[in-house]
Amino acid sequence: MNDEHLRLCASAEWAQLVADELLPWVLGDDELGPDVLEIGAGPGLVTDLLVERAPQVTAIELDPDLAAALRQRMAGRPVEVVTADATAMPLPTGRFSAAACFTMLHHIPDPEGQDRALVEIARVLRPGGLLVGTDGEDTPARRALHVDDVFTPIDPATLAARLSAAGFGYTDVESNGDRFRFRARR
Ligand SMILES: C[S@@+](CC[C@H](N)C(=O)[O-])C[C@H]1O[C@@H](n2cnc3c(N)ncnc32)[C@H](O)[C@@H]1O
């Protein structure tokens, strides 16, 4: 992430948006279950909320510095932080009751990599396991935030088909024009 983007993802403003708007919109009435995977945790403002809703959280983060900082900040809480790439996760098949993927898929540099990550998420979920997530629409403001950074926006109109191709059964994608949320069952 560029510096401005990193600052935003670690800010009180982002924490409030995630807690008050994004997580309730993404999760709805669904339960995460006992063993939750978070993909692309970054500074961990979503992790803070997930660990209040699940007894065990595993957070995957590609950037070793961000992962180390989160590991240190989560010490004493039931959160394992794994430095790893979502497109090839060193995690067992069929383990997790739910996976949360917040504002990270657009950071994977190409659609093929995004699809590999979706296949990997389906692999590590239990049968019936839940994927919930959100990402941003392709807007001028979001492009400006990603100068010198990876930005591979997902067209929400294509996401249900991509989730199905990755191995998900039920899928639900909804956009509010600026962001979209997705839910899918393994
Ligand atoms: C915009 S941040 C979002 C952080 C957090 N999910 C949130 O919503 O506050 C995206 C994060 O995904 C991570 N990331 C990007 N590609 C990844 C990959 N292939 N595997 C794991 N993490 C990745 C980035 O390093 C970054 O920390």
Side-chain angles (χ1 to χ4, degrees):
M1 283 186 285
N2 66 35
D3 288 348
E4 171 60 10
H5 198 178
L6 183 55
R7 189 204 59 75
L8 177 66
C9 284
S11 67
E13 175 193 350
W14 184 249
Q16 189 166 6
L17 179 77
V18 170
D20 295 351
E21 295 181 32
L22 285 185
L23 187 65
W25 185 47
V26 164
L27 196 53
D29 293 328
D30 282 323
E31 298 285 336
L32 294 169
D35 198 2
V36 174
L37 173 67
E38 182 186 9
I39 303 110
L45 299 186
V46 176
T47 323
D48 286 324
L49 302 174
L50 295 176
V51 73
E52 289 173 359
R53 287 167 175 73
Q56 178 66 42
V57 174
T58 301
I60 291 274
E61 171 53 49
L62 182 63
D63 182 315
D65 294 335
L66 286 175
L70 184 60
R71 197 172 290 120
Q72 192 170 19
R73 194 165 74 72
M74 290 292 147
R77 289 194 260 181
V79 177
E80 181 185 8
V81 180
V82 180
T83 308
D85 186 339
T87 65
M89 293 192 274
L91 297 170
T93 298
R95 171 178 158 179
F96 294 96
S97 54
C101 186
F102 278 61
T103 318
M104 75 75 63
L105 284 174
H106 68 267
H107 278 277
I108 297 179
D110 52 78
E112 293 74 22
Q114 294 171 339
D115 288 339
R116 273 201 307 281
L118 296 178
V119 168
E120 273 293 87
I121 295 167
R123 179 183 68 77
V124 300
L125 281 172
R126 300 173 187 173
L130 176 70
L131 167 64
V132 290
T134 178
D135 216 304
E137 295 264 11
D138 185 358
T139 62
R142 202 160 275 117
R143 283 199 173 258
L145 181 64
H146 289 81
V147 169
D148 295 328
D149 200 345
V150 175
F151 184 57
T152 314
I154 289 190
D155 177 355
T158 66
L159 186 54
R162 294 174 71 179
L163 287 164
S164 295
F168 288 93
Y170 164 83
T171 62
D172 173 34
V173 181
E174 180 187 304
S175 175
N176 65 14
D178 181 50
R179 298 180 194 278
F180 57 93
R181 68 170 186 183
F182 48 97
R183 277 186 243 177
R185 289 263 174 203
R186 175 76 176 90

